[in-house]
Amino acid sequence: MLFFTLLLEVIWILTANGGRYIWVSVCPHGQDHWPASYPECGSNAQSPINIQTDSVTFDPDLLPLQPHGYEQPGTEPLNLHNNGHTVQLSLPSTLYLEGLPRKYVAAQLHLHWGQKGTPWGSEHLINGKATAAELHIVHYDSESYESLSEAAQRPQGLAVLGILIEVGETKNPAYEHILSHLHEIKHKDQKTSVPPFNVRGLLPPLLAQYFRYNGSLTTPPCYQSVLWTVFHRRAQISTEQLERLRETLFSTEEEPSEPLVQNYRAPQPLNQRMVFASFIQGEMLSLGVGILVGCLCLLLAVYFIARKIRRKRLRNRKSVVFTSARATEA
Ligand SMILES: *[C@@H]1O[C@H](CO)[C@@H](O)[C@H](O)[C@H]1NC(C)=O
């Protein structure tokens, strides 16, 4: 019986077709049991993590990421799917990222969220704080691998963009392209198609500031194959949009209906890993400015003191010349 429950709890199928993960579990909340069937879930470079901004390392070589083809992802409708674990939008490989060691092409995007009455739902935390939800845009190294499923098991085979989503004042029209179709795929395994839209709109406006680290898939089999980019800036959706994300979907095919909520993984230990930042933090910046101002003040002080000393010497010399001139006169 225990074996049976465990089996149901952790069976994931990596489909060859497009390499999408399909959750076939009856219990999506058994994170603690993942390592029992997927040893990599208990390994030492897992995701998500808590990003502590005072212990990240500034790396000046981390250039702004450039998403290509995001504005117009083809003319064909995109497939939107409730897989019982998340809502996932398939993306064509004409979307790709520049600014990483190799060319990474897009495969899919999906969301993580919490449940009604709680303010959190994101997987990554910044300084211990979660936001309401998180978007993941999954890419794979198309220079080295044929498919997402092949790349998913290799170091840095995947590049995932993590976008923290918070609640703002206004409705976000880009997210609406996904959220307005959720009612068509309420139950697990339902699919619908969505007209292509500007995917760039789902990202925060500023892409230059991000954190970078080596991590894993946040769902079984937790392969440690992901080069993570978590943006510093957040995207915003309205309260009403967040409510729809949290309250429309079910993780089950039919009755009894189980709401699809709280599909985020708890933060994992950082262990020996480094987290890099593409930018200098606010505190670091003010520290730098402070030091600069301090140096300038010191320089000015030295300059004025030196000038005073020189004048004094000059005056002394003049008076010496004056007195000696008088002496010759006499
Ligand atoms: C990720 O791991 C590889 C291999 O160990 C290493 O070369 C690279 O610098 C790491 N990257 C980051 C962002 O930590």
Side-chain angles (χ1 to χ4, degrees):
M1 185 59 206
L2 180 67
F3 174 71
F4 184 63
T5 346
L6 263 181
L7 195 71
L8 279 177
E9 192 170 303
V10 291
I11 294 174
W12 282 76
I13 296 171
L14 184 59
T15 56
N17 122 50
R20 285 193 300 272
Y21 299 100
I22 297 177
W23 177 248
V24 291
S25 154
V26 290
C27 170
H29 299 298
Q31 297 182 10
D32 298 343
H33 300 300
W34 288 355
S37 300
Y38 295 94
E40 214 154 336
C41 296
S43 204
N44 58 6
Q46 290 288 294
S47 292
I49 56 165
N50 172 29
I51 297 168
Q52 208 58 54
T53 56
D54 57 7
S55 41
V56 300
T57 306
F58 169 59
D59 180 355
D61 293 332
L62 294 179
L63 302 175
L65 270 190
Q66 290 173 43
H68 288 270
Y70 274 50
E71 276 86 0
Q72 182 45 260
T75 49
E76 294 295 310
L78 305 172
N79 187 354
L80 190 71
H81 178 198
N82 174 351
N83 62 17
H85 174 60
T86 184
V87 53
Q88 185 166 303
L89 185 75
S90 55
L91 295 172
S93 56
T94 50
L95 277 66
Y96 68 95
L97 293 175
E98 208 176 79
L100 290 167
R102 286 167 300 283
K103 183 183 175 187
Y104 286 83
V105 301
Q108 48 103 334
L109 63 79
H110 61 265
L111 290 147
H112 297 270
W113 60 90
Q115 81 180 358
K116 198 177 173 170
T118 65
W120 50 81
S122 69
E123 298 208 298
H124 285 95
L125 313 181
I126 296 184
N127 296 327
K129 283 205 190 89
T131 62
E134 185 167 335
L135 171 72
H136 289 160
I137 311 183
V138 181
H139 305 72
Y140 70 92
D141 172 0
S142 64
E143 283 177 28
S144 316
Y145 308 110
E146 288 293 321
S147 66
L148 176 70
S149 52
E150 192 192 342
Q153 308 189 38
R154 309 294 171 81
Q156 304 208 342
L158 306 184
V160 181
L161 305 184
I163 294 106
L164 296 174
I165 302 170
E166 64 185 5
V167 171
E169 301 280 296
T170 53
K171 199 174 209 173
N172 185 318
Y175 280 84
E176 203 53 27
H177 288 287
I178 298 170
L179 300 177
S180 65
H181 293 277
L182 294 186
H183 68 274
E184 299 161 31
I185 51 164
K186 279 186 175 180
H187 291 98
K188 181 178 167 247
D189 293 341
Q190 290 187 317
K191 289 178 183 167
T192 188
S193 46
V194 168
F197 63 94
N198 183 353
V199 176
R200 173 66 181 81
L202 301 171
L203 302 177
L206 194 72
L207 301 185
Q209 299 190 344
Y210 57 84
F211 303 103
R212 169 73 46 79
Y213 78 98
N214 282 325
S216 74
L217 303 177
T218 64
T219 47
C222 309
Y223 296 136
Q224 296 188 156
S225 57
V226 182
L227 185 57
W228 275 97
T229 301
V230 178
F231 290 106
H232 179 51
R233 295 296 178 90
R234 294 153 180 192
Q236 293 193 337
I237 59 173
S238 69
T239 308
E240 182 273 326
Q241 284 182 307
L242 179 65
E243 272 172 13
R244 253 188 293 146
L245 176 62
R246 285 166 161 184
E247 293 168 31
T248 311
L249 302 174
F250 296 98
S251 63
T252 45
E253 281 176 37
E254 54 214 42
E255 304 303 319
S257 298
E258 192 65 41
L260 174 37
V261 290
Q262 277 188 307
N263 58 355
Y264 56 89
R265 189 186 193 192
Q268 303 296 304
L270 188 60
N271 297 320
Q272 310 308 316
R273 287 176 289 174
M274 300 267 286
V275 179
F276 297 94
S278 68
F279 62 107
I280 297 180
Q281 296 293 307
E283 308 95 81
M284 291 267 285
L285 199 67
S286 45
L287 189 72
V289 169
I291 289 171
L292 206 69
V293 168
C295 285
L296 269 176
C297 287
L298 206 68
L299 271 177
L300 275 175
V302 167
Y303 170 75
F304 281 118
I305 290 169
R307 207 168 71 165
K308 214 167 184 180
I309 291 173
R310 208 183 328 136
R311 276 198 185 153
K312 208 169 185 176
R313 274 202 196 144
L314 222 59
R315 220 180 297 135
N316 285 348
R317 209 180 303 156
K318 263 185 196 158
S319 64
V320 169
V321 173
F322 187 67
T323 36
S324 57
R326 271 207 168 163
T328 37
E329 249 172 53

